Amino acid sequence: MNTDTVRPHADPAATVPRRVLVGRAAAVLLILLRGGAAFAGHTAAGVLRRDLRTRRDRWLVDLVTRLGPAFIKAAQLLATRVDVLPPRVCAALARLHDGVRPVPLTGAAGELRDTGLVLDRGADGIARPVAAGSIACVYRATAPDGRRVAVKLRRPGVARQLAVDLELMRRGTRLVARLPRMRGLPAVAVVDQMAQAVHGQLDFVKEARFLEEFRENMAQESGLRVPAVHRELSHDGVLVMEFVEGLRRREPHEFPEGTRERAVLSTLRGIYRMLFIDGLVHCDLHPGNLYFLPDGDVVLVDAGFTVRLDEQTRATFAWFFLQMSMGDGEACAQIVLSTATAGPHADTDGFTRELAALVRANTGVCAAAFDLVTFGSSLFDIQRRHDLYAAPEFVFPLLSLLVLEGTVRAFAPKVDFQKEARPYLMKALFGDAYRQTA
């Protein structure tokens, strides 16, 4: 059975024969052995420690790339999991957002049959993507009525590759989790969550719904744009959207100071609305999905990795940030503990003391001195050292903020993240009572 024909929300493991898994496991093992030999060669060369670290980071990115789309996407997601991996490893894996090979199309794309869509092609007849991801690429095209549109197409054969490799990851993790040093770590849960998130990105129908909901929600915040979805041209394997001109990564020096600050404030208010009011959270706000336009408007694209928070989780997350803004570290610790899984050596008292001290140290500091990335990394480091692991429904929203800060902090370092969050926190927690007194 060809898993490319299976609806994206089907269980990928159900379609993977044992012989296919064994063959792929052998291929992965060979890639890992060759990669290990290459890294050993770098180590034996006697290079300086600083240069060795640089080579190690490049080696890691190259190794993951060789393993294929499922491993690339998994590594991209793990790059945000500073609650699980050391920050340096996360930084190395984050480079995979920029190094994904595009897929030029030389012939007709079968998924576009009967849609009337015509991809833009060069003089050589090749359609080259305007954006490339590990699961899909985006091409520019013309709709039957002459509109310029963006067309997102899955990479050829990627559904089958994901089904095999994600199941391989699951089984491999379950084996490794039995080792003495791995006991108590939530390795299986993390990989299962990651596999679910990766496989969910095949579902363009669901992504179209998320984009439409984001577009409606963000319309209430000035300066934020989400491309419109053309449902009449989209289906399981094709997502057709409004084409927004001028989307490219821009550096801070390309904007006047006022424009930079406007763009950052619009972005912050949008993510706070997601987290504290709407509960629909874009968890992948790296520079390839968040674009600043020359006029200061912000365009948000690609809703493949999106999490919907239930009411209890949304309220819990809002209470955590409200208590943090008030400097109540003990209350913050109790909120985290209420969502966390304790390992066999958990020290809740030590965790509470250290987190309370961290919150107090970051309360009342000037905006330029508060670094959410450092705060979040410290929070997760405290958790790891005290053998505590936060639930994914608590982790994913916080990670979305960490990715966002890494994206926008250079554009407006003086913006007060905590101050901008407060109105949204109050609306989320006190609703109409707050609005009447504001």
Side-chain angles (χ1 to χ4, degrees), residues 313-329:
T313 300
R314 184 181 59 78
T316 299
F317 198 69
W319 272 114
F320 174 84
F321 264 81
L322 181 63
Q323 299 302 327
M324 188 179 80
S325 70
M326 296 170 62
D328 191 340

Side-chain angles (χ1 to χ4, degrees), residues 219-420:
Q220 301 177 63
E221 300 293 334
S222 63
L224 265 175
R225 297 170 55 187
V226 178
V229 174
H230 298 303
R231 280 292 191 105
E232 73 283 2
L233 298 172
S234 303
H235 58 77
D236 260 0
V238 179
L239 178 57
V240 184
M241 300 156 285
E242 166 193 4
F243 190 91
V244 180
E245 298 284 353
L247 295 189
R248 67 174 179 84
R249 185 176 300 187
R250 291 178 168 86
E251 299 299 325
H253 66 80
E254 298 181 61
F255 299 86
E257 182 178 354
T259 304
R260 293 200 307 268
E261 183 170 324
R262 174 175 174 264
V264 168
L265 288 175
S266 295
T267 305
L268 281 179
R269 290 163 184 166
I271 190 66
Y272 290 147
R273 171 170 287 279
M274 292 181 199
L275 289 168
F276 305 130
I277 295 177
D278 300 326
L280 186 70
V281 184
H282 192 305
C283 294
D284 204 14
L285 294 173
H286 62 81
N289 290 336
L290 186 71
Y291 294 94
F292 291 174
L293 299 182
D295 62 359
D297 276 1
V298 181
V299 179
L300 177 67
V301 300
D302 194 343
F305 183 22
T306 296
V307 173
R308 189 182 297 279
L309 308 180
D310 60 40
E311 286 300 307
Q312 181 178 353
T313 300
R314 184 181 59 78
T316 299
F317 198 69
W319 272 114
F320 174 84
F321 264 81
L322 181 63
Q323 299 302 327
M324 188 179 80
S325 70
M326 296 170 62
D328 191 340
E330 285 78 8
C332 289
Q334 292 308 309
I335 292 170
V336 174
L337 288 172
S338 72
T339 69
T341 298
H345 307 293
D347 177 7
T348 57
D349 290 339
F351 170 78
T352 299
R353 285 194 301 272
E354 287 201 44
L355 182 56
L358 176 67
V359 170
R360 284 194 296 271
N362 283 277
T363 300
V365 299
C366 67
F370 179 72
D371 183 343
L372 185 60
V373 173
T374 301
F375 177 87
S377 298
S378 298
L379 166 61
F380 291 135
D381 179 61
I382 293 171
Q383 284 183 185
R384 280 196 301 267
R385 286 190 288 101
H386 291 88
D387 206 19
L388 294 162
Y389 303 94
E393 58 268 21
F394 187 85
V395 170
F396 280 140
L398 183 54
L399 292 177
S400 69
L401 274 175
L402 299 187
V403 174
L404 176 67
E405 169 148 332
T407 300
V408 306
R409 175 61 84 176
F411 285 81
K414 296 181 181 179
V415 167
D416 191 332
F417 273 53
Q418 296 186 60
K419 177 183 177 182
E420 292 301 322

